[in-house]
Amino acid sequence: MHNGILYLVTQDIREALLPIAGSEIIVNLTIMALGIALMFGLVTGSALIFTLLERKVCAFIQVRIGPNRVGPGGTLQSLADMLKLMSKEDIVPQGIDMWLWVLSPALIFVPSALIYAMFPFDDGVIFADVNIGLFLILAITSQSVLPFLMGGYASNSKYAMIGGMRTVAQMLAYEVPMVFALMGVVMLTGSLKMSAIVEAQTDVWFVVLQPLAFLIFMVAALVESNRPPFNIVEGESEIIAGPFTEYTGMRWALFFLAEFANLLSISIMTTTLFLGGWHGPEFLPGMVWFAIKVMIMVLVYQWIGWTFPRLRIDHMLTFGWKVLLPIALVNVLLTGIGIYVFNWL
Amino acid sequence: MNYLSKEQLQKIKSQFATVEYDDSQAEPALYVARSEFLDLLKSLKEKVSLSFDRLANYTAVDYKDYFEIVYNLFSRRYNRWVTVKVKLEDHDNPEIESVTGIWEGANFEERETYDLMGIRFLNHPNLTRILMPDDYDAFPLRKDFVPLEPKIEGGELVWHKPSTIS
Amino acid sequence: MAQTEHYILNMGPQHPSTHGVLRVKVELDGERIVHCTPVMGYLHRGIEKLMESRTYTQCVPFTDRLDYVSSMNNNWAFCGAVEKLAGIEVPERAEYIRVICAELNRIASHQVFIGSLLIDLGAATGMIYAFRDREKVLDLFNIICGARMTCHYIRIGGVIKDAQDEFLKETQKFVDYVPQMLQEYDNLFTGNEIFMERLKGTSIITKEDALRFNMSGPNIRASGHEYDIRKIDSYGVYDRFDFQVPTGTKGDNWDRYRIRFEEIRESARIIQQALDSIPAGPYMAKVPKVLKPAKGDVYHRVENTRGELGFYIVSDGTTKPYRVHIHRPSFINLQALDTMCKGLLLADAVAAYATVDPLMGEVDC
């Protein structure tokens, strides 16, 4: 049986609710609704916190102080920014494709939030522990390219169009090596189920068994989430802000939030797939270990982002197709041989 | 600063009939007629004993009844200077051949001179305004220049000649 | 039938990486550049015309507004031209202070170059480091003349105020710090693989092209042509100092970056020598209150941080110049932009603007 703290708490709530509600279905639905509310709170809340964290980390790397005016030590800065963005005028440019243009910022948030359902936060604490979990995650994340392309196409701006085209190109070039890198993990586990993948790392984390896959995944994840140094989609010194050049106020803020939600989700994926998920020494609950690992990965991604110059699009595509993909394929081969040798021993 | 030596000057004078040398000013200058100036510049640049290969400065001056085009040439090899001046007597319709055939880098400076001084350059690859708006109808650096007044008419910016001169 | 078309992208005048209000009409084939045409004039203030209605002394502050990140060199160019026109001898000490200030300004300007290049390549961190150190130079200017950017410190006949001991001491401290500073930049980004990949072999200007376009300054030196006015046509007291003129070999973006880097080192060397040998004495020549140079014209040029900055002044014997023409290096250097960018990607065009280093205050004049 599972022994994650959140799982146990949920069980307690379930038992407490059962006599009140009377029916098991209603209890399940209530728990589900609670969970969804929590998840959205987590995604938006973390985006707010990460905005501040990003700026503080960036300031630390750049020998600056960072925001320190709003609230104690600048902690309320992202809230103030949010309020400012909400109160801003919503400028609608001329000659746009209205439907696509309005839908794009709304849709951008869907894949970012949806994949949280497949993340195991603790032992037994997973929203939808489907048996094709990893496959579903990859399928959903690759959908995030569509809102970018929609926004870029609909904006009636050349900068936005270039940005939209770049998204597709980089998406194609990096989704393939990423999937092949994760093949190694799946081969070791023998399952696509997220909880099973974490379960399999009880003794040894996959970062030890799959170092190559780990590195490939890190690079590909940075690309997928448009983090620097791979942020060519927005590439602010070349194409202003790419697909969201023409967006203002709240619409722009949604793109912005999605970006930070993506940062969190790639950190969670790295933790789950390679760093043993909730596993850790006994003195802390699994939930806390999970949070610590995720935070470290967030910091690592930010550190990478703030130290490197941006890549050029052709270098980046060449790197994806001609370097990462062969390495990922070799990794699959090596893993296969490794498993065969291990079984034979 | 080193300038042309006497022998070189003699040589140039023997080749080009219209060349006059004026060393009474702060910087001595060669005055040449428009008919010969291109050949003079070419020989100044290409003759090894002169090799004034750099067009250090290039401009025009409005002297109210005539224009003067000034070429400051510098020779890297001999560390020597020469100033070539061409007078354009026709103040209403100043025209001169472009030197972009000799120094391609004079392109922008000639466009600037056209833009601000209103001197037309013949055989220039792209003689359009460079600093002022394309539809501007005056030449600001001329001495008789009166600033035009910008007005917005029907959403378009239009430049008007001032009605009264205060 | 599928077919592709070229399209025109207007980069600027409001664009994050065109350094002010430069507008570049880029004709693109996908993301490849077919043509690019610089369009300028958005910052045209008519300084040449304005100078015609001011006295010579009143003209000097205008020069600060030309190339506003290296104002000392601009002051020097204009004052040098007027001094030549009026036959004013500048005292020894003033010449030394001028050299110190001009070279400090060169360092500051190159730091702006490094900073803006880095931010154009997407490395915002590098920019902050370069600007942090530029601040130190600006503080030195603050000590010596009370202004940070538009100094108006070098005047006709010398400098407006003597260099205090505090300034000389602080300058010495800064010069000692320069090698450490450059080392830090090297560690942070010069060896970075992405940085090298983006700069090496892109936007090449051959020596022939550079000469053809009449380029000057670090841009022509990066192409391998040793053309530094401080060395070949020395002005002030530059001939008394021992310094190298760094030159590149290929003329690509990387060379243009490295040249600036080495020039900071050489500038520090010049400042060190000037500090060691600065004489005592007056800092301002006897200049008549009403300056009336004799009739005539004069051309004087200096090695500005961006290249050859020259002032052509015509005097008609009155207190005001009859005509001033400014030969601006950034303006001339921009001619090479089309040749540099042809066939490259949009991202390279951004790197190319950054390494040509045009400053719109100077281009538009």
mmCIF file of all heavy atoms in Angstrom, chain A residues 24-51:
data_model
loop_
_atom_site.group_PDB
_atom_site.id
_atom_site.type_symbol
_atom_site.label_atom_id
_atom_site.label_comp_id
_atom_site.label_asym_id
_atom_site.label_seq_id
_atom_site.Cartn_x
_atom_site.Cartn_y
_atom_site.Cartn_z
ATOM 1 N N GLU A 24 -20.030 6.782 -2.500
ATOM 2 C CA GLU A 24 -18.606 6.779 -2.835
ATOM 3 C C GLU A 24 -18.308 7.672 -4.036
ATOM 4 O O GLU A 24 -17.277 8.341 -4.099
ATOM 5 C CB GLU A 24 -18.163 5.349 -3.130
ATOM 6 C CG GLU A 24 -16.683 5.181 -3.269
ATOM 7 C CD GLU A 24 -16.146 4.064 -2.375
ATOM 8 O OE1 GLU A 24 -16.834 3.652 -1.434
ATOM 9 O OE2 GLU A 24 -15.044 3.612 -2.645
ATOM 10 N N ILE A 25 -19.242 7.736 -4.981
ATOM 11 C CA ILE A 25 -19.029 8.529 -6.204
ATOM 12 C C ILE A 25 -18.908 9.999 -5.864
ATOM 13 O O ILE A 25 -18.020 10.709 -6.338
ATOM 14 C CB ILE A 25 -20.200 8.311 -7.188
ATOM 15 C CG1 ILE A 25 -20.222 6.850 -7.613
ATOM 16 C CG2 ILE A 25 -20.082 9.228 -8.380
ATOM 17 C CD1 ILE A 25 -21.459 6.437 -8.350
ATOM 18 N N ILE A 26 -19.798 10.477 -4.978
ATOM 19 C CA ILE A 26 -19.780 11.891 -4.609
ATOM 20 C C ILE A 26 -18.468 12.224 -3.904
ATOM 21 O O ILE A 26 -17.843 13.255 -4.159
ATOM 22 C CB ILE A 26 -20.989 12.227 -3.712
ATOM 23 C CG1 ILE A 26 -22.275 12.034 -4.519
ATOM 24 C CG2 ILE A 26 -20.896 13.660 -3.195
ATOM 25 C CD1 ILE A 26 -23.528 12.243 -3.720
ATOM 26 N N VAL A 27 -18.027 11.315 -3.040
ATOM 27 C CA VAL A 27 -16.759 11.538 -2.344
ATOM 28 C C VAL A 27 -15.622 11.646 -3.351
ATOM 29 O O VAL A 27 -14.799 12.576 -3.298
ATOM 30 C CB VAL A 27 -16.501 10.391 -1.340
ATOM 31 C CG1 VAL A 27 -15.098 10.511 -0.765
ATOM 32 C CG2 VAL A 27 -17.526 10.418 -0.241
ATOM 33 N N ASN A 28 -15.603 10.731 -4.274
ATOM 34 C CA ASN A 28 -14.534 10.737 -5.279
ATOM 35 C C ASN A 28 -14.538 12.025 -6.086
ATOM 36 O O ASN A 28 -13.493 12.618 -6.353
ATOM 37 C CB ASN A 28 -14.678 9.548 -6.213
ATOM 38 C CG ASN A 28 -14.050 8.307 -5.609
ATOM 39 O OD1 ASN A 28 -13.326 8.422 -4.619
ATOM 40 N ND2 ASN A 28 -14.333 7.151 -6.168
ATOM 41 N N LEU A 29 -15.771 12.449 -6.445
ATOM 42 C CA LEU A 29 -15.878 13.673 -7.227
ATOM 43 C C LEU A 29 -15.386 14.871 -6.417
ATOM 44 O O LEU A 29 -14.699 15.759 -6.939
ATOM 45 C CB LEU A 29 -17.322 13.904 -7.663
ATOM 46 C CG LEU A 29 -17.772 13.089 -8.876
ATOM 47 C CD1 LEU A 29 -19.232 13.362 -9.170
ATOM 48 C CD2 LEU A 29 -16.908 13.441 -10.085
ATOM 49 N N THR A 30 -15.731 14.924 -5.143
ATOM 50 C CA THR A 30 -15.304 16.026 -4.284
ATOM 51 C C THR A 30 -13.788 16.075 -4.206
ATOM 52 O O THR A 30 -13.154 17.131 -4.351
ATOM 53 C CB THR A 30 -15.873 15.842 -2.863
ATOM 54 O OG1 THR A 30 -17.206 15.378 -2.963
ATOM 55 C CG2 THR A 30 -15.800 17.143 -2.094
ATOM 56 N N ILE A 31 -13.210 14.883 -3.968
ATOM 57 C CA ILE A 31 -11.744 14.814 -3.856
ATOM 58 C C ILE A 31 -11.118 15.279 -5.157
ATOM 59 O O ILE A 31 -10.148 16.040 -5.176
ATOM 60 C CB ILE A 31 -11.302 13.364 -3.542
ATOM 61 C CG1 ILE A 31 -11.914 12.902 -2.240
ATOM 62 C CG2 ILE A 31 -9.790 13.253 -3.557
ATOM 63 C CD1 ILE A 31 -11.069 13.053 -1.022
ATOM 64 N N MET A 32 -11.723 14.872 -6.259
ATOM 65 C CA MET A 32 -11.208 15.231 -7.585
ATOM 66 C C MET A 32 -11.226 16.741 -7.770
ATOM 67 O O MET A 32 -10.250 17.364 -8.199
ATOM 68 C CB MET A 32 -12.084 14.558 -8.653
ATOM 69 C CG MET A 32 -11.496 14.538 -10.038
ATOM 70 S SD MET A 32 -10.085 13.441 -10.125
ATOM 71 C CE MET A 32 -10.877 11.898 -10.588
ATOM 72 N N ALA A 33 -12.364 17.346 -7.402
ATOM 73 C CA ALA A 33 -12.515 18.798 -7.546
ATOM 74 C C ALA A 33 -11.491 19.516 -6.679
ATOM 75 O O ALA A 33 -10.847 20.486 -7.121
ATOM 76 C CB ALA A 33 -13.921 19.219 -7.145
ATOM 77 N N LEU A 34 -11.328 19.019 -5.464
ATOM 78 C CA LEU A 34 -10.334 19.600 -4.555
ATOM 79 C C LEU A 34 -8.947 19.531 -5.186
ATOM 80 O O LEU A 34 -8.178 20.493 -5.166
ATOM 81 C CB LEU A 34 -10.319 18.798 -3.248
ATOM 82 C CG LEU A 34 -10.929 19.475 -2.023
ATOM 83 C CD1 LEU A 34 -11.062 18.469 -0.902
ATOM 84 C CD2 LEU A 34 -10.076 20.650 -1.598
ATOM 85 N N GLY A 35 -8.678 18.367 -5.747
ATOM 86 C CA GLY A 35 -7.359 18.151 -6.357
ATOM 87 C C GLY A 35 -7.121 19.104 -7.505
ATOM 88 O O GLY A 35 -6.057 19.717 -7.617
ATOM 89 N N ILE A 36 -8.135 19.279 -8.348
ATOM 90 C CA ILE A 36 -7.978 20.172 -9.505
ATOM 91 C C ILE A 36 -7.723 21.598 -9.028
ATOM 92 O O ILE A 36 -6.834 22.294 -9.522
ATOM 93 C CB ILE A 36 -9.236 20.114 -10.407
ATOM 94 C CG1 ILE A 36 -9.293 18.761 -11.105
ATOM 95 C CG2 ILE A 36 -9.209 21.231 -11.434
ATOM 96 C CD1 ILE A 36 -10.530 18.530 -11.923
ATOM 97 N N ALA A 37 -8.489 22.008 -8.007
ATOM 98 C CA ALA A 37 -8.312 23.355 -7.463
ATOM 99 C C ALA A 37 -6.893 23.516 -6.945
ATOM 100 O O ALA A 37 -6.217 24.514 -7.204
ATOM 101 C CB ALA A 37 -9.320 23.587 -6.345
ATOM 102 N N LEU A 38 -6.428 22.503 -6.226
ATOM 103 C CA LEU A 38 -5.064 22.533 -5.675
ATOM 104 C C LEU A 38 -4.039 22.663 -6.793
ATOM 105 O O LEU A 38 -3.100 23.450 -6.720
ATOM 106 C CB LEU A 38 -4.811 21.227 -4.920
ATOM 107 C CG LEU A 38 -4.724 21.323 -3.399
ATOM 108 C CD1 LEU A 38 -4.658 19.935 -2.804
ATOM 109 C CD2 LEU A 38 -3.509 22.137 -2.995
ATOM 110 N N MET A 39 -4.285 21.856 -7.858
ATOM 111 C CA MET A 39 -3.316 21.805 -8.949
ATOM 112 C C MET A 39 -3.204 23.171 -9.640
ATOM 113 O O MET A 39 -2.113 23.663 -9.896
ATOM 114 C CB MET A 39 -3.789 20.764 -9.957
ATOM 115 C CG MET A 39 -2.686 20.172 -10.765
ATOM 116 S SD MET A 39 -1.577 19.275 -9.710
ATOM 117 C CE MET A 39 -2.573 17.856 -9.345
ATOM 118 N N PHE A 40 -4.389 23.779 -9.885
ATOM 119 C CA PHE A 40 -4.354 25.092 -10.540
ATOM 120 C C PHE A 40 -3.715 26.128 -9.636
ATOM 121 O O PHE A 40 -2.967 26.997 -10.086
ATOM 122 C CB PHE A 40 -5.760 25.518 -10.971
ATOM 123 C CG PHE A 40 -6.050 25.131 -12.383
ATOM 124 C CD1 PHE A 40 -6.815 24.019 -12.670
ATOM 125 C CD2 PHE A 40 -5.507 25.863 -13.424
ATOM 126 C CE1 PHE A 40 -7.036 23.641 -13.968
ATOM 127 C CE2 PHE A 40 -5.736 25.492 -14.730
ATOM 128 C CZ PHE A 40 -6.503 24.371 -15.005
ATOM 129 N N GLY A 41 -4.023 25.989 -8.346
ATOM 130 C CA GLY A 41 -3.369 26.885 -7.380
ATOM 131 C C GLY A 41 -1.876 26.720 -7.456
ATOM 132 O O GLY A 41 -1.114 27.697 -7.468
ATOM 133 N N LEU A 42 -1.451 25.464 -7.536
ATOM 134 C CA LEU A 42 -0.010 25.176 -7.582
ATOM 135 C C LEU A 42 0.614 25.788 -8.836
ATOM 136 O O LEU A 42 1.646 26.459 -8.773
ATOM 137 C CB LEU A 42 0.203 23.661 -7.578
ATOM 138 C CG LEU A 42 1.654 23.213 -7.615
ATOM 139 C CD1 LEU A 42 2.268 23.373 -6.246
ATOM 140 C CD2 LEU A 42 1.766 21.781 -8.082
ATOM 141 N N VAL A 43 -0.049 25.582 -9.986
ATOM 142 C CA VAL A 43 0.545 26.040 -11.241
ATOM 143 C C VAL A 43 0.655 27.557 -11.264
ATOM 144 O O VAL A 43 1.715 28.129 -11.493
ATOM 145 C CB VAL A 43 -0.280 25.536 -12.451
ATOM 146 C CG1 VAL A 43 0.285 26.101 -13.731
ATOM 147 C CG2 VAL A 43 -0.269 24.028 -12.479
ATOM 148 N N THR A 44 -0.460 28.231 -10.979
ATOM 149 C CA THR A 44 -0.414 29.703 -11.043
ATOM 150 C C THR A 44 0.421 30.271 -9.905
ATOM 151 O O THR A 44 1.186 31.213 -10.104
ATOM 152 C CB THR A 44 -1.837 30.293 -10.992
ATOM 153 O OG1 THR A 44 -2.565 29.574 -10.008
ATOM 154 C CG2 THR A 44 -2.523 30.207 -12.324
ATOM 155 N N GLY A 45 0.246 29.678 -8.730
ATOM 156 C CA GLY A 45 1.025 30.157 -7.583
ATOM 157 C C GLY A 45 2.501 30.001 -7.823
ATOM 158 O O GLY A 45 3.296 30.922 -7.579
ATOM 159 N N SER A 46 2.887 28.845 -8.340
ATOM 160 C CA SER A 46 4.313 28.612 -8.568
ATOM 161 C C SER A 46 4.823 29.562 -9.642
ATOM 162 O O SER A 46 5.944 30.053 -9.569
ATOM 163 C CB SER A 46 4.554 27.172 -8.983
ATOM 164 O OG SER A 46 3.952 26.941 -10.222
ATOM 165 N N ALA A 47 3.967 29.857 -10.625
ATOM 166 C CA ALA A 47 4.406 30.787 -11.665
ATOM 167 C C ALA A 47 4.699 32.147 -11.059
ATOM 168 O O ALA A 47 5.692 32.794 -11.386
ATOM 169 C CB ALA A 47 3.348 30.895 -12.747
ATOM 170 N N LEU A 48 3.831 32.571 -10.139
ATOM 171 C CA LEU A 48 4.047 33.859 -9.483
ATOM 172 C C LEU A 48 5.338 33.846 -8.683
ATOM 173 O O LEU A 48 6.143 34.775 -8.738
ATOM 174 C CB LEU A 48 2.870 34.181 -8.556
ATOM 175 C CG LEU A 48 1.663 34.850 -9.194
ATOM 176 C CD1 LEU A 48 0.648 35.188 -8.124
ATOM 177 C CD2 LEU A 48 2.095 36.117 -9.916
ATOM 178 N N ILE A 49 5.498 32.760 -7.923
ATOM 179 C CA ILE A 49 6.698 32.683 -7.078
ATOM 180 C C ILE A 49 7.952 32.601 -7.943
ATOM 181 O O ILE A 49 8.962 33.231 -7.669
ATOM 182 C CB ILE A 49 6.599 31.466 -6.131
ATOM 183 C CG1 ILE A 49 5.464 31.691 -5.135
ATOM 184 C CG2 ILE A 49 7.904 31.245 -5.393
ATOM 185 C CD1 ILE A 49 5.063 30.448 -4.391
ATOM 186 N N PHE A 50 7.846 31.841 -9.043
ATOM 187 C CA PHE A 50 9.028 31.662 -9.883
ATOM 188 C C PHE A 50 9.415 32.937 -10.608
ATOM 189 O O PHE A 50 10.573 33.138 -10.926
ATOM 190 C CB PHE A 50 8.796 30.540 -10.898
ATOM 191 C CG PHE A 50 8.992 29.192 -10.288
ATOM 192 C CD1 PHE A 50 9.322 29.071 -8.957
ATOM 193 C CD2 PHE A 50 8.867 28.047 -11.043
ATOM 194 C CE1 PHE A 50 9.503 27.842 -8.375
ATOM 195 C CE2 PHE A 50 9.054 26.808 -10.476
ATOM 196 C CZ PHE A 50 9.356 26.706 -9.137
ATOM 197 N N THR A 51 8.430 33.778 -10.879
ATOM 198 C CA THR A 51 8.780 35.062 -11.488
ATOM 199 C C THR A 51 9.738 35.816 -10.576
ATOM 200 O O THR A 51 10.761 36.346 -11.003
ATOM 201 C CB THR A 51 7.525 35.922 -11.692
ATOM 202 O OG1 THR A 51 6.474 35.079 -12.054
ATOM 203 C CG2 THR A 51 7.747 36.952 -12.745
#
